[in-house]
Amino acid sequence: METSLMNASPEAFDAIRPYRDEEVREVLDRLPQDPELLRAILRFKFPRLADSFLAPALRWMISRALASRVIRIGSISDLQVYVGVYMARMIATTTRGFTVDGIEHLDKNKSYLFISNHRDIAMDPAFVNYALHINNMDTVRIAIGDNLLKKPYVNDLMRLNKSFIVQRSAKGIRQMMAAFNLLSQYIHHSIKQEHQSIWIAQKEGRAKDGIDHTDPAIIKMFCMAEKKSGKAFADTIHDLNIVPVALSYEYDPLDVQKSREVVQKQKDGHYAKGEFEDIDSIAQGIAGYKGRVHVAFGQPLDGDFEDADAVAAAVDEQIRRLYRLFPSNYLALEALHQEGDFAIPSFDTEVRAAFNERLAACPEEYQAQWLAMYANPVKNFLGRL
């Protein structure tokens, strides 16, 4: 773990890196045989039959179907093209439009460290990747916490899709520092030596309250790899080509679940996740209705930053400015009677009815938090947070 960035070999990152082309076929051959994956798909596709006498036969059919669908995939690039087809289909069926801004700020010949706000476990990096893909740019490597990789099949699926592992479960200060140093080295290695862009969330965990702020500890982690090199902090930041990204969803498929979690934490001081909750969240985030979705790429950070706080503030400012506000955000602020002297735009009856119908589907005890989650981006834009 003490290996310096200058001397680190690719093998030093084997525990956290994505899979390589030569590993793809072996992984895809074993996934259709994974009993936990088959049970998870059965639970999602046919929940009423998951524990019935038909379950074994259905799992066999799912296994055969999976194997036939991935038989022609032999590389990471093949898989990205395959995923792109499903992304297009998902966008057509679960959104009311997908738009992209700021792609002109990016150079196809450069690698970037994209830092975005975080609302959905799988869809945030997926939408960033799709925005790059449809603009003929390379997709990114995705930072994902090991708390989501408790099942071997999830680990395989994520690492096939260019994900690398953030070892959040490390115990003790020394282990944690070693894990963060390795992660920092890998990010530098990817960008500078392998010319692969990186996506990482601005803080650990999704913003369940709709408040997007960058954790300066993330910025400090980026710099760990070159801490002993003597390079100036500002130069390290400049070399990483940091680009803020704002992801905006008109509706969050997990808005009720997030509101319940926040309320229960406020009430009981903690929230205990169920065994399959993260996997279910990923599935609901993919399949659930999102309304309009917008991805806005900011401009690469260019400044003589003194410390991590200054970098975090610069990222926040771009995300605040780039975030696209939808009627759901304005109407939530109006419903909370917190608009103050801010004039809420006018919306037609159909838009208001759709918003009120969605609010009514949220249990009453969570509605205030639900509204706050949608209203907070407006308050952030107005500088009230």
Side-chain angles (χ1 to χ4, degrees), residues 162-222:
K162 297 180 71 172
S163 294
F164 61 95
I165 301 169
V166 178
Q167 297 173 317
R168 293 176 181 161
S169 61
K171 304 297 182 184
I173 297 297
R174 291 186 65 181
Q175 252 194 355
M176 287 174 59
M177 294 302 289
F180 291 149
N181 186 50
L182 182 68
L183 177 62
S184 180
Q185 290 188 31
Y186 181 71
I187 289 171
H188 283 261
H189 179 82
S190 291
I191 293 171
K192 299 176 183 178
Q193 293 176 263
E194 297 188 321
H195 308 294
Q196 292 286 316
S197 293
I198 296 287
W199 175 91
I200 194 167
Q202 66 182 168
K203 63 181 178 181
E204 181 179 337
R206 294 165 291 167
K208 300 179 183 72
D209 54 8
I211 299 175
D212 300 319
H213 287 310
T214 303
D215 184 352
I218 299 287
I219 309 301
K220 292 176 183 177
M221 179 273 292
F222 296 154

Side-chain angles (χ1 to χ4, degrees), residues 108-143:
K108 292 182 180 181
N109 298 314
K110 288 186 177 180
S111 302
Y112 297 97
L113 174 53
F114 295 107
I115 304 178
S116 85
N117 58 330
H118 192 24
R119 300 301 177 82
D120 187 276
I121 295 170
M123 295 316 303
D124 290 350
F127 278 125
V128 169
N129 263 344
Y130 192 70
L132 295 169
H133 174 70
I134 61 178
N135 283 282
N136 300 312
M137 297 187 71
D138 286 342
T139 54
V140 299
R141 289 176 174 174
I142 301 163

Side-chain angles (χ1 to χ4, degrees), residues 251 255-256 259 328 331-332 335-336 352-372 374:
Y251 286 107
D255 48 15
V256 174
S259 300
S328 54
L331 293 173
L336 289 170
R352 286 182 173 273
F355 174 81
N356 290 329
E357 181 180 355
R358 184 138 186 141
L359 172 59
C362 177
E364 188 174 352
E365 64 265 38
Y366 308 134
Q367 287 187 1
Q369 180 57 43
W370 189 97
L371 289 167
Y374 282 107

Side-chain angles (χ1 to χ4, degrees), residues 10 47 54 64 70 72 91 100 110-111 130 152 154 191 219 274 301:
L54 292 173
R64 292 290 297 271
V70 301
R72 290 189 174 90
I91 288 169
V100 181
K110 288 186 177 180
S111 302
Y130 192 70
V154 179
I191 293 171
I219 309 301
L301 296 191

Side-chain angles (χ1 to χ4, degrees), residues 253-268:
L254 294 157
D255 48 15
V256 174
Q257 291 90 327
K258 289 180 181 179
S259 300
R260 181 181 67 242
E261 180 175 339
V262 172
V263 170
Q264 289 188 7
K265 275 186 177 179
Q266 292 170 346
K267 181 181 177 182
D268 303 327

Side-chain angles (χ1 to χ4, degrees), residues 309-323:
D309 289 331
V311 177
V315 172
D316 285 352
E317 175 56 25
Q318 287 206 41
I319 290 176
R320 182 192 70 81
R321 180 170 46 82
L322 293 169
Y323 193 97

